[in-house]
Amino acid sequence: MVELTREAMAAGAAGLSTGVFYATGAAADIAEVVMLARVAADAGGVYSTHIRDEAQKVIESLDEAFTAARQAGIPVVISHHKCAGPTNWGRSAETLAHIKAARTKQAIGLDAYPYAAGSTILRPEAVDGVIDIMVSWSEPYPEMSGRMLADIARDWKCTQIEACNRLQPGGAIYFQMGEDDVQRVLKFEATMIGSDGLPHDRHPHPRLWGAFPRVLGHYARDLGLFPLEEAVHRMTGLSARQFNLNGRGEIAAGKVADLVVFDPESVMDRATFATPTLLADGIEVVIVAGTITYRHRQLTGKRAGRFLRREARG
C-alpha cells in the first residue's frame, strides 16, 4: 500500500483519502493511516477523510483524523462534515468549536454539501425506523429507485431492514441531518462547498445537479448566509488553495480561464429529491480552460478538461 501510494503521488495525485466509515477501510487503525499519509506528506499532498463516525462518536472520530494527520505531518480535510441522526442534531455547534480549536494547532479544512440528506450505499445498520430513506438504486430491483424504503417494506409486508437486505446491492438517500446544522457548517469560516455527488445512481441525490447553484441562490442570496462573493470563493479559490491547484480558483491575469457566467438574481437549483436531474436556472455560460463548454442550457460538444497534477504547497 505504501508503494502504491508513492506511485500515485509521483503521478501527480493530490493526496490520500480514506473512508474508515466503510468496509474495508474500517479495519485500518491510526498507525496504518499514518504510514500511508506520511508518503503523501513527503510529496506535498493532503489527507482527506470520511471519518469513522458522524453520529454519536463524531468528536472522537474527528480527533482520530486530527491525530493521524498530525503524526503524519500533513494537512487534513474532513469530508462532508455533518452530525448524523436526530439524536445528534444541534451538535454542530460543538463539533465546529472543536475543529476551530484544533485548527490553531494544525492545518485542517472541511467541506459540506447544502442539503439535510446524505447518500451512500444501502446499509442495514443505518435503517433505524426514524429517519426517512429513499432508494437511489438497486441492482436486483431497479424499479424501486426513487421510492421510500418504508413504502417498499409496507408493500412487501416485511420490516425496513429486511427490505434493505433484499434490495442489495443498492444505494440510498438518508434524511439524517438537521437544517440548522447544515447552515451552521456551511457558514463556518473554513468550509468548502462540495457536491459529494454520485453520478452512477439511477435516481441520484439532487446534489449532483444542484449543489453549487443551491448555495449561490438559496443560501447566499435568499437566506443571506454569506455574501455572494464568499459563496463563490468557498467553491473556487478556497478549494484550489486547499488542494494545491495553483493557477486556478481566481480570476486574474495569467490564471487558467475556468469561468462560470451566471445571473445572481435568478441562479437557483431546480433538482429535487423527486426529480433530481433538472438543470439549474441562471447558469449562462461555462468556460473550461478558455473553451466554452456550456451555453444556452446545453453542452457545446467541446471538452477542455484535463488531469490536474498536484503542485507544491505555498
Side-chain angles (χ1 to χ4, degrees):
M1 292 167 69
V2 166
E3 290 304 315
L4 289 170
T5 306
R6 186 173 291 120
E7 178 183 335
M9 297 305 295
L16 170 74
S17 67
T18 62
V20 292
F21 172 76
Y22 297 104
T24 55
D29 57 14
I30 288 180
E32 181 175 316
V33 171
V34 169
M35 189 180 298
L36 301 176
R38 279 177 177 158
V39 177
D42 289 343
V46 298
Y47 170 47
S48 177
T49 180
H50 180 148
I51 59 175
R52 197 172 298 275
D53 190 333
E54 296 174 318
Q56 279 77 11
K57 295 183 178 180
V58 62
I59 293 292
E60 295 89 335
S61 297
L62 287 170
D63 283 339
E64 178 186 27
F66 299 161
T67 298
R70 193 166 57 250
Q71 291 183 10
I74 193 170
V76 61
V77 175
I78 304 301
S79 297
H80 46 61
H81 180 52
K82 66 176 72 70
C83 296
T87 59
N88 291 288
W89 291 356
R91 290 189 67 194
S92 61
E94 176 189 359
T95 62
L96 293 174
H98 195 70
I99 292 171
K100 186 172 184 175
R103 275 169 51 82
T104 65
K105 304 171 185 176
Q106 64 187 112
I108 299 171
L110 68 157
D111 62 65
Y113 46 80
Y115 297 88
S119 185
T120 185
I121 56 175
L122 274 167
R123 295 171 54 89
E125 55 267 45
V127 181
D128 60 5
V130 177
I131 65 170
D132 291 330
I133 300 172
M134 176 184 285
V135 176
S136 57
W137 64 278
S138 169
E139 193 170 292
Y141 297 97
E143 69 276 11
M144 296 300 174
S145 298
R147 293 197 61 195
M148 303 304 291
L149 182 64
D151 294 338
I152 296 172
R154 192 175 300 111
D155 290 349
W156 286 352
K157 295 179 172 57
C158 65
T159 67
Q160 289 192 49
I161 290 179
E162 289 170 338
C164 177
N165 287 326
R166 285 178 61 180
L167 290 162
Q168 295 203 45
I173 297 167
Y174 299 89
F175 295 82
Q176 59 182 350
M177 287 99 83
E179 177 62 22
D180 288 347
D181 287 319
V182 172
Q183 293 188 28
R184 197 176 291 119
V185 172
L186 288 174
K187 192 174 182 179
F188 183 65
E189 60 199 46
T191 302
M192 300 175 285
I193 307 301
S195 72
D196 197 35
L198 301 169
H200 67 275
D201 286 9
R202 183 185 179 103
H203 187 98
H205 189 302
R207 64 192 182 184
L208 182 65
W209 290 70
F212 300 100
R214 181 171 176 80
V215 170
L216 296 172
H218 179 61
Y219 284 104
R221 183 191 62 229
D222 296 347
L223 296 187
L225 202 61
F226 31 57
L228 181 63
E229 294 85 353
E230 184 177 339
V232 170
H233 176 65
R234 288 170 178 269
M235 57 185 72
T236 54
L238 182 59
S239 305
R241 186 165 66 244
Q242 182 73 68
F243 289 99
N244 305 317
L245 302 178
N246 295 340
R248 298 178 186 264
E250 297 177 346
I251 300 176
K255 302 286 187 179
V256 178
D258 290 338
L259 305 168
V260 176
V261 181
F262 66 91
D263 181 350
E265 297 302 319
S266 65
V267 65
M268 179 57 73
D269 60 307
R270 292 302 175 200
T272 65
F273 289 100
T275 53
T277 60
L278 296 180
L279 284 174
D281 287 344
I283 306 295
E284 306 295 338
V285 179
V286 176
I287 300 171
V288 178
T291 298
I292 296 176
T293 60
Y294 176 92
R295 174 185 271 172
H296 305 313
R297 299 182 65 82
Q298 61 186 5
L299 299 173
T300 65
K302 297 179 180 179
R303 303 171 70 98
R306 58 182 181 271
F307 175 70
L308 302 182
R309 290 180 60 89
R310 177 196 70 263
E311 299 185 44
R313 288 199 294 268

